[in-house]
Amino acid sequence: MNINIPTPLRAYTGGQQTVSIPGATVGEALEALTGAYPELRQHLYSGEGKLRSFVNLYLNDDDIRYLPQKEATPVEESDELSIIPSIAGGCCRRLQILLGMPNL
Amino acid sequence: MLHLSYSDYAALRAHGEENYPHECCGVLLGNSTPEGNQVREIVRAGNTRTDRAHDRYNIAPEELIRIQRQARKQGLDIVGFYHSHPDCPAQWSQTDFAEAHWVGCSYVITRVDQDKAAVTNSFLLTGTSEEDKKFLDEPVEIAMNEAEIEQERGRS
Ligand SMILES: [Zn+2]
C-alpha cells in the first residue's frame, strides 16, 4: 500500500512524499515502514511504543482510532495510509485579561 | 525566509478580519526551496474548535488530507499554516508552540484588532524532534506588482 509521509518526516524517508510498503493490515504496514526507515519510529511512537498523541493515522478517509479493528484493519494494495500530525494552537487573551496586562 | 505573493498575504489577513472575534486558520501550499518556503496558494480551513473559537484553532485531519491530495495533483506541498490572534499579539503563544509539530513549516500569525488586521509575522518551526523543536522568527518577503504597490500606498 502507499503511505503518505508529511513534510516534517520526509527527512527520514529520503525525501519521499509517498512510500510503497507491503503489509496485510495497517499494523503490518506500519511495522514494515519503521523497519525500512528506522529513524521514523521515534517520531511516530513515544518511548513506551504508543502512537504519539498528535500523530493521526488515516486509512483513506478514516481515522484508524475509530475503525472497529484499529491497526488490525486489513488493507489492500490500492489503499492509502496518511500520517498527519495535528495542526492546532491559539492565543493568550484569557491570560491577558486575567493578569490585566496591556495588549502588546 | 517565507516568500508570499501580495494577493495571498492580503487574503490570509482578510480571512482573519472576516472571522473576528474568532480565530481563522488555513494552509499554505507551495514548495520548500533552499531559499525558504515559497507559497503558491493559500487554502482556508475550518476551525473545529467551535467551543473556544475566540482563542483556539484546530484544523481537522480529514480536511488536511483533502487539501494535501489536491495539492499533490498540482505539484504542491504543505509548507505552512496561518491563523489569527483576535486582539492578541502576532507572536506565538505557549499553546501554539506545544501544538506545533510540522518541523520545516512556516506558522504565520496575524494580529486582528477589532476587525482590522494589524501585524502579520511568520515563525519557522525548526529542530529534529519534539524534544528540541524551536520557533525562529522568519522574515517574510511579499511579492507585489505595480498596481498592488499603489493600492497599499493608498491605504496608508
Ligand atoms: Zn496562535
Side-chain angles (χ1 to χ4, degrees), chain A residues 10 43 87 89-90 94 104, chain B residues 54 57 77 93 96 102 111 128:
Chain A
R10 287 189 208 145
H43 297 281
I87 311 293
R94 285 189 178 205
L104 296 172
Chain B
H54 60 287
Y57 80 98
D77 229 334
S93 66
D96 287 332
W102 290 67
R111 171 179 186 149
T128 56

Side-chain angles (χ1 to χ4, degrees), chain A residues 89-92, chain B residues 23 55 57 83-85 89 91-93 95-96 109:
Chain A
C91 64
C92 45
Chain B
E23 293 199 13
D55 69 349
Y57 80 98
H83 72 283
S84 60
H85 281 181
Q91 289 293 326
W92 52 269
S93 66
T95 312
D96 287 332
I109 301 175

